[in-house]
Amino acid sequence: MISFSIDGQPVEGKEDAHILEVALDAGIEIPHLCYNESVKPYGACRLCLVEVTRKGRSKMTTSCNYPIMEGIEVFTGTEKVLRARRMIIELLLSMCPGDKLLQEMAAGMGVREVRFKKEEEKDCILCGLCARVCDEVVGAHAIQFASRGDRREMIPPFGEEAMNCIACGACVVVCPVNVIGMKEEGDERTILRWKRTLKMKSCKVCGNYFAPWFQLDKFKEKAKLPKDFYDVCYTCRS
Ligand code: SF4
Ligand code: FES
């Protein structure tokens, strides 16, 4: 275990841990949006900034991807950190002005107005969480970042229907600003942002549609399950 301090409080974490996860485990809140414990940290939203002092030198860094080290001192609420964090939340709000979570976070940080031009046509904050979950947890690799700078966006390959998407909805759940969207109508499920519509399978027992055929076939193939494994839905099986 590695020992260090956060805001003067002694904490401990495993060798490969990062500051944010140790802080959250210890009940110390650091604002964050693109961190999710099920995927590798990426440092995209920059909201989790902290100040770290090591060997007498101090620097600002994102805490979700900063590896813990023996004896470092971490400060989560210095004036420098709070100022930078307010600027970041303003920038994020300008990318996704209508989002309630961002609005609440901004209000909590004392941000009363957004000085940056609102990008009305944009809503994604480019946190990359949807693609990381799709790659690292689901294994579907259906979406990716495209372009650079102002034109950077998260899209399916070539901006067309995401042909690898199994419509599991994991991206919909993890998106911190809720801009992906899923709809179910009759026997179809659509992941709106990735323009992916798949036919769903109905349960042999209750008759309800419960998951897309494409998704179930992929799971069966991967886990080498018998052909009839998903004939009955999860509810009727339990
Ligand atoms: S769609 Fe949502 S999860 Fe994906 S990059 Fe944009 S904000 Fe992040
Ligand atoms: S949570 Fe650390 S950069 Fe987003």
Side-chain angles (χ1 to χ4, degrees):
M1 296 297 270
I2 293 181
S3 307
F4 63 105
S5 73
I6 303 179
D7 296 333
Q9 178 182 326
V11 287
E12 277 193 329
K14 286 196 203 125
E15 216 160 280
D16 57 351
H18 297 94
I19 293 173
L20 181 61
E21 58 183 298
V22 177
L24 296 178
D25 281 350
I28 301 166
E29 192 46 48
I30 300 174
H32 56 278
L33 281 172
C34 71
Y35 168 77
N36 184 300
E37 60 186 1
S38 56
V39 292
K40 289 192 208 100
Y42 184 61
C45 74
R46 306 202 65 79
L47 254 191
C48 66
L49 275 182
V50 292
E51 215 168 328
V52 175
T53 305
R54 184 176 171 234
K55 294 183 181 163
R57 290 190 162 198
S58 198
K59 71 165 187 174
M60 286 232 281
T61 179
T62 45
S63 60
C64 64
N65 56 359
Y66 191 95
I68 59 171
M69 287 171 225
E70 194 67 39
I72 56 170
E73 292 173 290
V74 179
F75 300 96
T76 67
T78 63
E79 192 43 50
K80 221 167 150 186
V81 165
L82 296 181
R83 212 179 316 128
R85 216 180 264 155
R86 282 196 290 267
M87 168 97 82
I88 291 163
I89 197 75
E90 269 191 68
L91 275 166
L92 294 170
L93 254 182
S94 73
M95 295 166 88
C96 190
D99 183 65
K100 278 249 152 19
L101 174 65
L102 292 183
Q103 288 168 355
E104 280 168 21
M105 287 177 113
M109 292 175 200
V111 172
R112 302 275 167 258
E113 56 165 340
V114 175
R115 290 164 297 168
F116 305 104
K117 196 174 150 271
K118 291 195 165 118
E119 299 183 38
E120 298 294 353
E121 77 284 5
K122 289 197 179 166
D123 52 7
C124 165
I125 58 166
L126 302 174
C127 73
L129 197 46
C130 50
R132 281 181 290 143
V133 166
C134 187
D135 289 349
E136 295 175 35
V137 180
V138 182
H141 311 284
I143 43 178
Q144 62 201 18
F145 276 122
S147 305
R148 286 163 185 262
D150 277 3
R151 300 176 56 165
R152 190 162 168 82
E153 55 181 344
M154 179 61 74
I155 52 168
F158 311 108
E160 289 168 7
E161 180 181 352
M163 299 308 284
N164 284 346
C165 171
I166 59 170
C168 63
C171 59
V172 180
V173 174
V174 296
C175 175
V177 288
N178 199 18
V179 294
I180 298 175
M182 179 164 92
K183 136 180 135 183
E184 283 183 4
E185 247 170 32
D187 67 344
E188 283 184 347
R189 178 185 290 176
T190 301
I191 306 294
L192 299 168
R193 198 170 188 96
W194 319 133
K195 303 176 191 137
R196 181 66 159 163
T197 298
L198 291 174
K199 289 271 181 216
M200 304 229 286
K201 183 168 183 167
S202 62
C203 169
K204 267 197 171 165
V205 177
C206 66
N208 291 335
Y209 293 110
F210 68 100
W213 282 90
F214 186 69
Q215 178 193 122
L216 299 175
D217 287 345
K218 286 272 173 201
F219 287 171
K220 277 191 283 187
E221 192 185 307
K222 218 173 193 173
K224 299 195 173 26
L225 298 169
K227 267 191 177 161
D228 60 355
F229 190 82
Y230 287 118
D231 282 358
V232 176
C233 75
Y234 310 106
T235 318
C236 290
R237 193 178 308 171
S238 55

